[in-house]
Amino acid sequence: MEQSFCKLNFITNGDGFTDITDDLNSFIQKSNFHSGILNLTSLHTSCSLTINENADPNVLKDLEKFMKSIVPLNCYTSLSKDREEIYYEHFQEGEDDMPAHIKTALTNTNLSLSFKDGEIILGTWQAIYLWEHRFAPKERSISVHIIGEKNSSNYNNRK
Amino acid sequence: MEQSFCKLNFITNGDGFTDITDDLNSFIQKSNFHSGILNLTSLHTSCSLTINENADPNVLKDLEKFMKSIVPLNCYTSLSKDREEIYYEHFQEGEDDMPAHIKTALTNTNLSLSFKDGEIILGTWQAIYLWEHRFAPKERSISVHIIGEKNSSNYNNRK
Amino acid sequence: MEQSFCKLNFITNGDGFTDITDDLNSFIQKSNFHSGILNLTSLHTSCSLTINENADPNVLKDLEKFMKSIVPLNCYTSLSKDREEIYYEHFQEGEDDMPAHIKTALTNTNLSLSFKDGEIILGTWQAIYLWEHRFAPKERSISVHIIGEKNSSNYNNRK
């Protein structure tokens, strides 16, 4: 069992989803690992790592819209009977910053994925997304850590 | 340190919770592992893996009811001041499909559990659930991947 | 590759955040591990493990306030058009108990973190929090499990 550590950087296009599945599979193959755990940590508190549908783009649109509607900008109303209006106290970094922290808390910063035969084990309709919650494009770093088995040395020698 | 990969299939009974703790512990024991990480990935985008209470069944009822109330069918109202009414754009696979994708995004598709002495480390009141968000019964596949130490060969020989 | 298992206990101060990053890094260093996976499981169903901002304390205040406003005590209103008022059926363990189970389901019980050079890989503005959802102070147990490489024996001998 061996380890490999790396950071992968992605430029997001403002709020929305970037499919990073292929980049992660490429990293596994370049690192010459066969099978193991691919442990991912987003190094930010205003974007998420999530697994969701890779087929109908309306699924991603609806996800984005839903998230914006339960975590609105500036002010939101409580679900308690009195429907209190609540303002964020942290607003100095932009009106989209505190909502982004909340969206991150409601989703995931960390995914621990299994891979075999050099490929992440996913269902047919699944992709791994970097979900940007800030409105402006950002450079995002993902810590990528593998613990697993490398391809046999015979295989390496032949290359 | 060794690895083992498997898929476990479960038939869910429509929306609600299936306790899979015992099945997972059985898998660990049959695989003859002593201690390690049990990495779980649901291979679907409309059900979740979650850890919650195993005692009062009303806890699961309240969880289900809450989830349905913040992710309603067909149309939901925003928490912003104007309380906009929003309709899903992805509705072609059934009215419970897009809400199921959102519920999956708000919970987990992936759990990385520790086990020791052949048993998952959990608190007294915890169980691991497959949380079905679709209304019809479904066959669901969970990728089960162990990295850990096997029972000693002495122990194996004695069996 | 070696393993180490431990439980770390924390006294929470009622609802809110306890930064456990330093305790976790100390545990790694005391265990003499160099690099690997630190797998954390909260052994409770009414508090969470989460990664969020470590800079402006208002971020944590806003997170707490938001969570309380979407998961209120006693009764909440649905986001469906009819805005149904819904009461919890599980209320016997205190009015803050069922909301705590829901908050746990919406966040995380389990984090699988990577560490290198004896330190958890995090972004500059990230900390790991134990997020207490019950109102009274509680003693909370976190299962801490390492799979990784120990410091070389040379290094050990020199100490």
Side-chain angles (χ1 to χ4, degrees):
Chain A
M1 208 75 70
E2 292 178 65
Q3 296 191 84
S4 172
F5 292 88
C6 174
K7 278 176 196 170
L8 293 181
N9 293 322
F10 299 92
I11 308 285
T12 64
N13 210 359
D15 47 316
F17 294 83
T18 304
D19 186 338
I20 61 172
T21 319
D22 289 347
D23 299 272
L24 296 172
N25 278 326
S26 294
F27 175 75
I28 291 169
Q29 287 147 24
K30 275 181 211 152
S31 308
N32 206 28
F33 276 91
H34 179 268
S35 56
I37 282 179
L38 178 80
N39 202 47
L40 304 177
T41 309
S42 149
L43 302 179
H44 309 275
T45 60
S46 52
C47 63
S48 310
L49 293 170
T50 199
I51 296 175
N52 220 296
E53 224 213 47
N54 61 11
D56 179 4
N58 278 338
V59 168
L60 300 182
K61 275 195 209 167
D62 283 342
L63 274 172
E64 183 65 35
K65 232 189 233 178
F66 178 84
M67 223 33 154
K68 281 183 175 136
S69 90
I70 58 159
V71 194
L73 298 178
N74 305 312
C75 173
Y76 58 94
T77 54
S78 157
L79 283 177
S80 62
K81 273 179 172 181
D82 62 2
R83 290 182 190 153
E84 195 189 349
E85 290 183 357
I86 301 168
Y87 290 81
Y88 302 112
E89 293 183 46
H90 174 84
F91 53 81
Q92 298 80 354
E93 291 173 57
E95 61 174 3
D96 60 332
D97 189 57
M98 192 56 226
H101 294 310
I102 294 174
K103 290 168 186 173
T104 303
L106 291 175
T107 53
N108 284 293
T109 288
N110 169 234
L111 292 175
S112 193
L113 303 168
S114 301
F115 67 95
K116 207 181 153 182
D117 303 324
E119 207 160 321
I120 300 166
I121 298 174
L122 289 175
T124 316
W125 309 107
Q126 288 183 312
I128 304 157
Y129 295 102
L130 171 54
W131 193 352
E132 178 61 74
H133 303 307
R134 298 300 306 263
F135 292 174
K138 294 263 171 194
E139 185 172 13
R140 300 303 201 174
S141 278
I142 309 296
S143 152
V144 182
H145 171 205
I146 293 178
I147 291 189
E149 299 286 353
K150 291 217 164 181
N151 290 305
S152 68
S153 51
N154 269 356
Y155 177 84
N156 290 345
N157 292 342
R158 260 182 289 142
K159 287 211 281 197
Chain B
M1 208 76 72
E2 292 178 66
Q3 295 190 84
S4 172
F5 291 89
C6 174
K7 277 176 197 171
L8 293 182
N9 293 323
F10 299 92
I11 308 284
T12 63
N13 209 359
D15 46 317
F17 294 84
T18 303
D19 186 338
I20 60 172
T21 320
D22 289 347
D23 299 272
L24 296 171
N25 278 325
S26 294
F27 175 74
I28 292 169
Q29 286 147 24
K30 274 183 212 153
S31 308
N32 205 28
F33 276 90
H34 179 268
S35 56
I37 282 179
L38 178 80
N39 202 47
L40 304 177
T41 309
S42 148
L43 301 179
H44 309 276
T45 60
S46 52
C47 63
S48 311
L49 294 170
T50 198
I51 296 175
N52 220 296
E53 225 214 46
N54 61 10
D56 179 5
N58 278 337
V59 168
L60 300 182
K61 275 195 209 166
D62 282 342
L63 274 172
E64 183 66 35
K65 230 187 233 178
F66 179 84
M67 222 35 153
K68 281 183 175 136
S69 91
I70 57 160
V71 195
L73 298 177
N74 304 312
C75 173
Y76 58 94
T77 53
S78 157
L79 284 177
S80 64
K81 273 179 172 181
D82 62 2
R83 291 182 189 154
E84 196 190 347
E85 289 183 358
I86 301 168
Y87 290 81
Y88 303 112
E89 293 183 44
H90 173 84
F91 53 81
Q92 299 80 354
E93 292 173 58
E95 60 173 4
D96 59 332
D97 189 57
M98 192 57 225
H101 294 310
I102 294 174
K103 290 168 186 172
T104 304
L106 291 176
T107 52
N108 284 294
T109 288
N110 169 233
L111 292 175
S112 193
L113 303 168
S114 300
F115 67 96
K116 207 182 154 182
D117 303 324
E119 207 160 321
I120 300 166
I121 298 174
L122 288 175
T124 316
W125 309 107
Q126 290 182 312
I128 304 157
Y129 295 101
L130 171 54
W131 192 352
E132 177 62 73
H133 303 307
R134 298 299 305 264
F135 292 174
K138 294 262 170 194
E139 185 172 13
R140 300 303 201 174
S141 279
I142 309 295
S143 152
V144 182
H145 170 206
I146 294 178
I147 291 189
E149 298 286 353
K150 290 217 165 180
N151 291 305
S152 68
S153 51
N154 269 356
Y155 176 84
N156 290 346
N157 291 340
R158 260 182 288 143
K159 285 212 277 198
Chain C
M1 209 75 73
E2 293 178 64
Q3 296 190 85
S4 171
F5 292 89
C6 174
K7 278 177 196 170
L8 293 181
N9 293 323
F10 299 92
I11 309 285
T12 64
N13 208 359
D15 46 316
F17 294 83
T18 303
D19 185 338
I20 62 172
T21 320
D22 289 347
D23 299 272
L24 296 171
N25 279 325
S26 294
F27 174 75
I28 292 169
Q29 287 147 24
K30 275 182 211 152
S31 308
N32 205 27
F33 276 91
H34 179 268
S35 56
I37 282 180
L38 178 80
N39 202 47
L40 303 177
T41 310
S42 148
L43 301 178
H44 309 274
T45 60
S46 52
C47 63
S48 311
L49 293 170
T50 198
I51 296 175
N52 220 297
E53 225 213 47
N54 61 10
D56 179 5
N58 278 337
V59 169
L60 300 182
K61 276 195 208 166
D62 283 342
L63 274 172
E64 182 67 35
K65 232 188 233 179
F66 178 84
M67 222 34 153
K68 281 183 175 136
S69 91
I70 58 159
V71 194
L73 299 177
N74 305 311
C75 173
Y76 58 94
T77 53
S78 156
L79 284 177
S80 63
K81 273 180 173 182
D82 62 2
R83 290 181 190 154
E84 195 190 348
E85 289 183 359
I86 301 168
Y87 290 82
Y88 302 113
E89 293 183 44
H90 173 83
F91 53 81
Q92 299 80 354
E93 292 174 56
E95 61 174 3
D96 59 332
D97 190 56
M98 192 58 225
H101 294 311
I102 294 174
K103 290 167 186 174
T104 303
L106 291 175
T107 52
N108 284 293
T109 289
N110 168 234
L111 292 175
S112 193
L113 303 168
S114 301
F115 67 94
K116 207 181 154 183
D117 304 323
E119 208 160 321
I120 300 166
I121 298 174
L122 289 175
T124 315
W125 309 107
Q126 289 183 313
I128 304 157
Y129 295 101
L130 171 54
W131 192 353
E132 178 61 73
H133 302 308
R134 298 300 306 263
F135 292 176
K138 294 262 170 195
E139 185 171 13
R140 300 303 199 174
S141 278
I142 309 296
S143 151
V144 182
H145 171 205
I146 293 177
I147 291 188
E149 298 287 352
K150 291 217 165 180
N151 289 306
S152 68
S153 52
N154 269 357
Y155 176 83
N156 291 344
N157 291 342
R158 259 183 289 142
K159 286 212 280 198

